[in-house]
């Protein structure tokens, strides 16, 4: 009975508004009321992480304005953060390939765990060591998910079982890949180099990188477009320009909500994925508001609303009481540990420049 009531509460919030805020400029000045409370919080986050379906409720409940800037890749995050820092942003949402770099380079504030109302409810399996330093924690788990193989089931009638489907000539010109070095990881998984050591994808040898470059360059002519934002991939599927792609759950959700028949699969070689943590930027001006946002989006209701907006997976299992059966199934929220084990989560790439150089060469291959 409890879950039914809570589901109705979430549905009411979700139907109130469904517009995603895309505010390019964040206020840099400290705006406080006479009582001393912050009146704004400036986010630099992945697309969907400030969706109005849950950000509006936070603003109404707290009186704190949510200013959101979205980034498109981990390298884009690093560039924006270095340019703005705590003068521009309060909270960021790095994935596992950048979170450790930010911690080690002193670009984030240590988290005061005593201020986190839901810390004990967050699964221990997602509290990863890459955001720990000198006994302190610098990142709060928020959402996570896979790099799926997404396909239009009205066109691709048989579920693909391998990433090699991208090299099938019948899909030439009808595929899309993320404009990111993570495609190099895909080649590593096809070769099973991470079978015994998941970190192998992020520490590939010169010969392995050379091989990845050759095979991805051969694929280049078959790629309709390398998508930068989830919105771009959505448009490609919506306009029926592509049939298969590497993508995130957000695309499946948004397109199927519009009546499409997209499906996802994890190929037999496995898939990579991302564990996104929320981190307070070093010198952030609105840290009081930042902690209020952290407490809100890691609460059971905040987690459920975030999952409903993105189809990404929760870190607080108490959110199940706020989720209907369809949302639970779509996000694998009732089998978190089993689903978690299927994914090779992005890690920091020490030789990131080499990976990036190869990726540039791939995109410009003739």
């Amino acid at each position: 009975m409890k879950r039914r009531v809570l589901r109705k509460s979430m549905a009411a919030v979700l139907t109130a508004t469904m517009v995603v805020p895309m505010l390019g400029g964040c206020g840099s000045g400290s705006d406080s009321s006479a009582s001393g409370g912050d009146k704004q919080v400036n986010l630099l986050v992945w697309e969907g992480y400030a969706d109005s379906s849950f950000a509006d409720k936070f603003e109404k409940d707290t009186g704190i304005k949510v200013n959101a800037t979205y980034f498109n890749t981990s390298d884009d995050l690093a560039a924006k953060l270095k340019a703005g820092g705590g003068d521009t942003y309060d909270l960021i949402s790095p994935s596992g390939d950048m979170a450790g770099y930010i911690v080690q380079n002193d670009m984030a504030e240590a988290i005061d765990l005593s201020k986190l109302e839901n810390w004990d409810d967050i699964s221990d399996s997602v509290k990863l060591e890459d955001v720990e330093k000198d006994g302190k924690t610098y990142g709060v788990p928020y959402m996570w998910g896979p790099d799926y193989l997404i396909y239009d089931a009205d066109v691709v009638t048989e579920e693909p079982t391998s990433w090699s489907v991208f090299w099938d000539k019948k899909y030439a010109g009808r595929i899309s890949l993320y404009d990111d070095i993570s495609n190099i990881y895909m080649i590593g998984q096809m070769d099973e180099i991470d079978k015994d050591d998941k970190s192998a994808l992020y520490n590939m040898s010169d010969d392995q990188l050379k091989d990845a470059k050759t095979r991805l360059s051969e694929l280049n002519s078959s790629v309709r477009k390398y998508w930068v934002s989830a919105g771009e991939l959505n448009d490609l599927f919506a306009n029926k320009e592509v049939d298969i792609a590497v993508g995130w759950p957000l695309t499946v959700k948004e397109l199927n909500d519009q009546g499409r028949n997209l499906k996802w699969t994890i190929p037999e070689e496995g898939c990579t994925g991302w564990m996104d943590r929320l981190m307070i930027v070093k010198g952030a001006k609105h840290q009081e508001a930042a902690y209020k946002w952290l407490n809100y989006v890691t609460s059971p209701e905040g987690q459920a609303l975030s999952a409903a907006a993105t189809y990404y997976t929760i870190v607080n299992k108490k959110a199940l009481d706020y989720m209907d059966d369809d949302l639970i199934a779509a996000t694998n929220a009732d089998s978190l540990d089993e689903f978690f084990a299927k994914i090779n989560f992005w890690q920091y790439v020490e030789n990131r420049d080499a990976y990036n150089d190869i990726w540039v060469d791939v995109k410009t291959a003739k």
Side-chain angles (χ1 to χ4, degrees):
M1 185 66 180
K2 175 185 177 185
R3 179 173 289 182
R4 183 180 301 170
V5 173
L6 293 173
R7 287 174 182 168
K8 288 182 179 179
S9 174
M10 186 184 76
V13 174
L14 288 174
T15 54
T17 176
M18 291 299 292
V19 181
V20 179
M22 289 290 288
L23 305 178
C26 296
S28 60
S30 180
D31 181 10
S32 302
S33 68
S35 63
D38 291 336
K39 288 301 176 183
Q40 63 177 310
V41 61
N42 299 321
L43 312 181
L44 176 60
V45 292
W46 289 105
E47 187 174 354
Y49 282 176
D51 193 277
S52 61
S53 59
F54 56 91
D56 285 359
K57 185 178 187 301
F58 174 81
E59 291 184 339
K60 181 179 179 181
D61 291 347
T62 65
I64 296 171
K65 182 76 171 74
V66 178
N67 301 314
T69 298
Y70 291 143
F71 60 86
N72 296 316
T73 67
S74 293
D75 291 301
D76 184 29
L77 163 63
K80 283 183 168 64
L81 182 58
K82 289 176 181 177
D87 287 335
T88 306
Y89 308 111
D90 300 308
L91 278 170
I92 54 176
S93 64
S95 299
D97 59 339
M98 193 56 64
Y101 173 85
I102 289 170
V103 172
Q104 297 304 319
N105 286 274
D106 199 30
M107 301 167 72
E109 297 280 354
I111 300 294
D112 184 347
L113 298 181
S114 69
K115 294 182 178 180
L116 298 183
E117 300 169 359
N118 308 290
W119 181 253
D120 291 341
D121 295 327
I122 295 175
S123 174
D124 288 338
S125 64
V126 299
K127 294 175 180 177
L128 307 182
E129 295 180 356
D130 60 334
V131 292
E132 296 178 0
K133 180 182 175 182
D134 299 330
K136 297 180 180 179
T137 298
Y138 289 81
V140 180
Y142 172 43
M143 305 294 288
W144 57 275
D147 300 313
Y148 283 142
L149 192 161
I150 299 175
Y151 62 101
D152 185 340
D154 290 335
V155 178
V156 184
T157 56
E158 185 175 341
E159 179 179 284
T161 59
S162 170
W163 291 110
S164 62
V165 70
F166 287 117
W167 282 261
D168 190 326
K169 293 300 182 182
K170 69 181 177 182
Y171 298 118
R174 303 288 301 174
I175 69 175
S176 184
L177 302 179
Y178 182 30
D179 189 357
D180 183 72
I181 64 173
S182 54
N183 294 292
I184 298 173
Y185 312 154
M186 176 176 66
I187 300 297
Q189 285 197 305
M190 291 174 67
D191 291 340
E192 298 186 333
I193 70 170
D194 64 335
K195 187 174 183 179
D196 297 318
D197 178 10
K198 290 188 174 183
S199 69
L201 295 184
Y202 315 103
N203 296 280
M204 292 169 71
S205 69
D206 289 342
D207 286 343
Q208 289 170 332
L209 290 173
K210 182 179 179 180
D211 177 58
K213 176 182 175 180
T214 298
R215 289 155 69 182
L216 289 170
S217 295
E218 292 170 351
L219 184 63
N220 184 54
S221 61
S222 294
V223 176
R224 175 77 174 188
K225 185 176 183 180
Y226 295 106
W227 59 271
V228 175
S229 68
E232 279 189 317
L233 181 58
N234 292 359
D235 289 342
L236 288 169
F237 273 115
N239 297 329
K240 298 188 177 182
E241 296 181 63
V242 298
D243 301 323
I244 57 174
V246 175
W248 302 327
L250 181 64
T251 291
V252 178
K253 170 195 162 34
E254 294 192 351
L255 271 293
N256 287 353
D257 282 350
Q258 298 172 26
R260 295 300 302 280
N261 185 24
L262 299 189
K263 292 185 179 181
W264 61 266
T265 185
I266 297 177
E268 59 191 10
E269 302 96 341
C271 74
T272 56
W274 28 270
M275 168 59 64
D276 293 342
R277 271 67 59 87
L278 292 174
M279 305 172 75
I280 298 176
V281 178
K282 188 74 171 182
K285 293 188 174 182
H286 308 106
Q287 295 191 32
E288 179 182 339
Y291 275 102
K292 289 182 179 179
W293 180 260
L294 288 174
N295 284 325
Y296 172 64
V297 296
T298 59
S299 70
E301 184 179 16
Q303 283 275 284
L305 290 170
S306 296
T310 62
Y311 269 28
Y312 300 160
T313 305
I314 59 174
V315 298
N316 184 343
K317 291 183 179 180
K318 289 185 176 180
L320 290 169
D321 286 336
Y322 289 76
M323 301 167 70
D324 63 30
D325 292 338
D326 289 341
L327 182 57
I328 290 172
T331 59
N332 295 276
D334 58 348
S335 55
L336 293 179
D337 294 336
E338 178 183 351
F339 188 46
F340 192 87
K342 293 181 178 180
I343 303 172
N344 185 335
F345 287 93
W346 294 352
Q347 299 177 26
Y348 178 62
V349 177
E350 189 72 35
N351 196 13
R352 195 174 184 90
D353 287 344
Y355 279 65
N356 274 318
D357 288 345
I358 285 173
W359 182 235
V360 170
D361 289 343
V362 165
K363 293 187 296 180
T364 56
K366 300 296 185 182

